[in-house]
Amino acid sequence: MKSARLEEFRQVAYKYLGRAKDATFELTDAILLTRNVYSLADLSLSPVFRRKWPSIYEALQDSRPQRQKLMQLYPTFRTSISSINKLHLNKIRNYNFDS
């Protein structure tokens, strides 16, 4: 149930990201999962960011997220998200990025 709620949140959020959705979504995951970031290039080293480092700059430049819709989305899922953050982190940590 919790995993399904997280997937639903991520799918809805993905729709609101505008252009460069994939790179922006991976960048968001990298930001959430990287403890110490000193530059954008550091984020490109995250295992969840599977693109080359220039994609970070392209995502930031090209993405036109629907900010109001994203801001309204979070309160809708807030209690579910806070209870499943650990589940999501474990899922990403255990993901085989080589496949």
Side-chain angles (χ1 to χ4, degrees):
M1 176 64 175
K2 291 179 181 180
S3 180
R5 191 80 170 137
L6 174 64
E7 290 295 326
E8 181 184 356
F9 172 80
R10 290 174 61 81
Q11 288 172 0
V12 174
Y14 180 84
K15 286 193 267 186
Y16 294 151
L17 291 179
R19 299 184 312 210
K21 289 179 185 177
D22 292 336
T24 304
F25 207 68
E26 287 185 12
L27 177 58
T28 302
D29 281 341
I31 290 167
L32 293 171
L33 296 172
T34 306
R35 290 183 187 248
N36 298 313
V37 177
Y38 301 102
S39 69
L40 292 175
D42 288 340
L43 293 171
S44 70
L45 300 175
S46 171
V48 295
F49 194 80
R50 297 173 289 181
R51 301 163 189 289
K52 296 185 181 205
W53 70 268
S55 297
I56 291 177
Y57 298 96
E58 291 172 17
L60 293 173
Q61 183 176 8
D62 295 342
S63 179
R64 299 288 182 260
Q66 298 176 38
R67 291 184 180 122
Q68 289 292 12
K69 289 185 178 182
L70 285 168
M71 295 299 289
Q72 292 168 357
L73 178 66
Y74 180 71
T76 307
F77 287 87
R78 183 182 58 211
T79 55
S80 297
I81 291 170
S82 62
S83 66
I84 58 179
N85 276 339
K86 289 182 183 175
L87 174 69
H88 178 58
L89 291 175
N90 288 334
K91 185 177 179 181
I92 289 176
R93 286 182 185 139
N94 295 327
Y95 183 78
N96 182 0
F97 291 101
D98 295 327
S99 60

